[in-house]
């Protein structure tokens, strides 16, 4: 046994009590970079309009977001939207569907939900910032291989059917958003658009076409487009600025 | 051959009858086609009456959904849907299983009987 009180320093005096070193707790969750999501409608389109216009629009969008929560979602996630409808029973109308497209910039941003009800495919285009929308709920948050799922119109109806009373799928906040690598099977041709052509660049279809047709579709490929410098639009710096602005404004 | 995407309903569009009437559901070698739209423009949207040629007969019908995208917040269907109707506005069928847009309720007076037999609303 050696008590600290009985320790004698080199001077001959009793040593001062040194407390044991505190354990260092490394919080791995906070260490992982906070996932940032900036809704695509905040990014202004490329053009010569005055940035003041986008700034004013952003102020209005932030104001709306403070009052009404617009959750994070991507093309391919399943949403349930309740809108105020004067002609519906209970004055409100709930629609569940998969988001197939997000379009528009600023306050006119829209998203299209698709579902198949009683063998009838129905698509509704909602405006994100419309005051008629009462609630947006994300039932299943996931991404798909493409940005635009318009090909679901020509796919077998089972890929677009979602139960109206679907329960929300639970997920942790820190997990990465899952990418659903589903390859969709199509109805027989003719389709509304020639999805096999490289201009649509679709990765989420299981093409069961003969090799000859696939090779013929490659005739319309434009391999020079990805190197075209006039079409480049680098949004990284703009996104950083807008992210700082929006997150500060929303935290107030 | 099938024509490309012509969206709202005009003369000679093939339509799909969605009620459970005998006239609409018995198979025939020609699909039901629109021959006249009761409108100033010849283009029929949801809520317009049209004249249909079915099984060699002329019948009036009410448009309940089309492939053309309409105003935002209104549904867009994957097929041109139509409900067979008499001259006085009474529907011929007794049940409509396919979803009907809520917009039709605006003209509750004219379409009350059609809305009464509809099951699902979108």
């Amino acid at each position: 046994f050696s008590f600290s009180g009985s320790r004698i320093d080199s001077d001959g005096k009793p040593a001062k009590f040194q407390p044991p070193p505190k354990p260092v707790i490394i919080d791995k969750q906070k260490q992982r970079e906070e996932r940032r999501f900036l809704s695509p409608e905040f990014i202004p389109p490329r053009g010569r309009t005055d940035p003041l216009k986008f700034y004013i629009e952003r102020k209005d969008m932030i104001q709306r977001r403070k009052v009404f929560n617009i959750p994070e979602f991507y093309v391919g996630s399943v949403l349930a939207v309740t809108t105020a409808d004067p002609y519906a029973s209970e004055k409100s109308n709930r629609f569940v569907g998969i988001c197939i497209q997000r379009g528009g910039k600023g306050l006119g941003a829209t998203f299209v939900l698709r579902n198949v009800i009683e063998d009838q495919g129905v698509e509704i285009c909602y405006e994100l910032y419309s005051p008629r929308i009462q609630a947006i709920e994300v039932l299943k948050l996931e991404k798909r291989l493409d940005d635009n799922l318009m090909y679901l119109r020509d796919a077998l109806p089972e890929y677009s059917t979602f139960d109206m009373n679907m329960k929300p799928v639970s997920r942790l906040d820190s997990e990465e958003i899952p990418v659903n690598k589903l390859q969709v099977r199509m109805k027989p041709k003719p389709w509304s658009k020639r999805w096999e052509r490289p201009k649509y660049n679709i990765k989420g279809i299981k093409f069961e076409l003969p090799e000859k047709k696939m090779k013929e579709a490659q005739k319309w490929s434009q391999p020079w487009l990805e190197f075209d410098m006039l079409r480049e639009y680098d949004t990284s710096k703009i996104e950083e600025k807008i992210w700082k602005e929006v997150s500060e404004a929303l935290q107030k | 051959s099938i024509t490309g995407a012509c969206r709202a309903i005009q003369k000679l569009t093939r339509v799909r009858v969605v009620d459970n009437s005998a006239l609409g559901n018995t198979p025939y070698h020609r699909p039901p086609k629109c021959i006249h739209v009761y409108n100033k423009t010849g283009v029929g949207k949801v809520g317009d009456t049209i004249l249909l040629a079915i099984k060699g007969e002329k019948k009036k019908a009410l448009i309940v959904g089309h492939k053309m995208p309409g105003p935002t917040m209104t549904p867009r269907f994957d097929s041109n849907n139509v409900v067979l109707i008499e001259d006085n506005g009474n529907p011929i069928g007794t049940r409509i299983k396919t979803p009907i847009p809520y917009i039709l309720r605006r003209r509750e007076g004219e379409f009350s009987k059609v809305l009464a037999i509809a099951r699902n609303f979108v």
Side-chain angles (χ1 to χ4, degrees):
Chain A
F1 277 115
S2 64
F3 296 103
S4 40
S6 58
R7 273 217 200 108
I8 302 171
D9 248 353
S10 45
D11 306 3
K13 292 177 205 158
K16 201 172 158 205
F17 170 65
Q18 297 280 345
K22 274 199 185 147
V24 179
I25 308 165
I26 305 170
D27 197 355
K28 286 220 170 105
Q29 282 202 333
K30 276 198 185 144
Q31 266 198 348
R32 216 177 301 161
E33 231 188 75
E34 255 182 57
R35 201 159 45 87
R36 295 173 166 195
F37 172 70
L38 184 65
S39 216
E41 70 266 6
F42 279 104
I43 303 163
R46 194 170 71 140
R48 285 174 56 185
T49 34
D50 201 343
L52 179 69
K53 178 219 174 194
F54 301 122
Y55 176 69
I56 298 171
E57 233 181 351
R58 251 176 283 141
K59 270 188 21 179
D60 284 335
M61 285 152 80
I62 292 166
Q63 188 59 38
R64 173 71 179 156
R65 274 177 187 250
K66 281 191 186 157
V67 174
F68 172 71
N69 170 43
I70 297 176
E72 165 191 357
F73 67 96
Y74 303 87
V75 170
S77 9
V78 182
L79 306 185
V81 176
T82 13
T83 43
D85 204 336
Y87 308 112
S89 57
E90 308 289 323
K91 304 292 173 194
S92 70
N93 177 9
R94 184 186 141 106
F95 186 74
V96 170
I98 183 172
C99 176
I100 52 176
Q101 168 179 280
R102 279 186 86 158
K105 297 284 179 200
L107 286 169
T110 55
F111 62 100
V112 182
L113 292 185
R114 180 184 165 83
N115 199 347
V116 172
I117 310 174
E118 300 271 348
D119 297 329
Q120 172 71 61
V122 185
E123 288 174 11
I124 309 190
C125 178
Y126 290 105
E127 282 168 348
L128 269 181
Y129 295 95
S130 166
R132 268 175 69 184
I133 298 188
Q134 289 165 342
I136 305 182
E137 203 190 306
V138 175
L139 298 176
K140 193 172 184 194
L141 182 64
E142 62 174 13
K143 284 198 220 192
R144 293 265 236 187
L145 292 170
D146 308 298
D147 253 345
N148 207 309
L149 298 177
M150 284 294 180
Y151 56 82
L152 286 180
R153 290 178 189 167
D154 297 315
L156 297 172
E158 64 198 34
Y159 296 101
S160 316
T161 19
F162 296 94
D163 185 25
M164 284 299 241
N165 307 323
M166 196 169 132
K167 298 268 164 63
V169 171
S170 56
R171 58 177 289 276
L172 302 168
D173 260 339
S174 56
E175 270 175 15
E176 296 255 337
I177 309 146
V179 177
N180 190 352
K181 305 207 170 156
L182 177 66
Q183 299 254 298
V184 149
R185 292 189 54 211
M186 305 291 277
K187 290 195 233 173
K189 271 201 158 202
W191 298 328
S192 58
K193 294 251 150 59
R194 293 173 219 242
W195 302 113
E196 74 275 8
R197 293 220 175 151
K199 125 173 180 193
Y200 297 107
N201 194 15
I202 291 184
K203 303 185 182 89
I205 301 184
K206 188 169 180 187
F207 291 110
E208 279 151 7
L209 299 171
E211 273 291 323
K212 212 173 121 183
K213 295 272 180 184
M214 297 300 291
K215 275 179 106 173
E216 204 193 314
Q218 292 302 317
K219 268 204 283 181
W220 280 269
S221 71
Q222 298 175 308
W224 55 85
L225 269 188
E226 63 174 310
F227 303 110
D228 195 342
M229 291 177 81
L230 286 183
R231 279 173 209 260
E232 278 171 10
Y233 184 37
D234 187 23
T235 53
S236 46
K237 291 191 189 125
I238 306 171
E239 258 189 67
E240 287 279 333
K241 269 196 265 176
I242 298 179
W243 165 258
K244 256 200 268 175
E245 197 188 311
V246 169
S247 54
E248 272 163 30
L250 283 176
Q251 265 157 31
K252 273 190 212 155
Chain B
S1 72
I2 301 178
T3 18
C6 164
R7 275 101 159 265
I9 301 182
Q10 58 184 23
K11 288 196 190 183
L12 294 190
T13 35
R14 283 160 295 202
V15 287
R16 176 188 166 205
V17 176
V18 270
D19 55 10
N20 64 347
S21 54
L23 200 54
N25 293 40
T26 36
Y28 192 60
H29 56 87
R30 303 185 70 182
K33 274 194 193 162
C34 168
I35 48 182
H36 188 257
V37 181
Y38 292 102
N39 208 341
K40 286 284 168 71
T41 68
V43 177
K45 302 280 168 95
V46 174
D48 289 335
T49 358
I50 58 172
L51 228 205
L52 229 48
I54 302 184
K55 296 187 75 174
E57 304 167 17
K58 291 184 280 195
K59 227 18 179 220
K60 277 202 186 176
L62 172 72
I63 305 177
V64 287
H66 48 66
K67 275 174 131 182
M68 169 148 178
T72 48
M73 309 291 205
T74 52
R76 186 205 83 104
F77 296 86
D78 274 359
S79 61
N80 299 316
N81 299 340
V82 122
V83 170
L84 292 180
I85 227 177
E86 294 279 352
D87 281 335
N88 48 17
N90 295 352
I92 298 177
T94 49
R95 238 173 301 179
I96 305 178
K97 261 171 78 180
T98 34
I100 306 269
Y102 276 113
I103 306 287
L104 282 182
R105 272 205 197 278
R106 186 186 288 179
R107 294 199 263 170
E108 187 100 49
E110 301 163 49
F111 307 139
S112 53
K113 294 183 196 141
V114 178
L115 294 166
I117 60 174
R119 288 283 199 76
N120 304 338
F121 281 92
V122 170

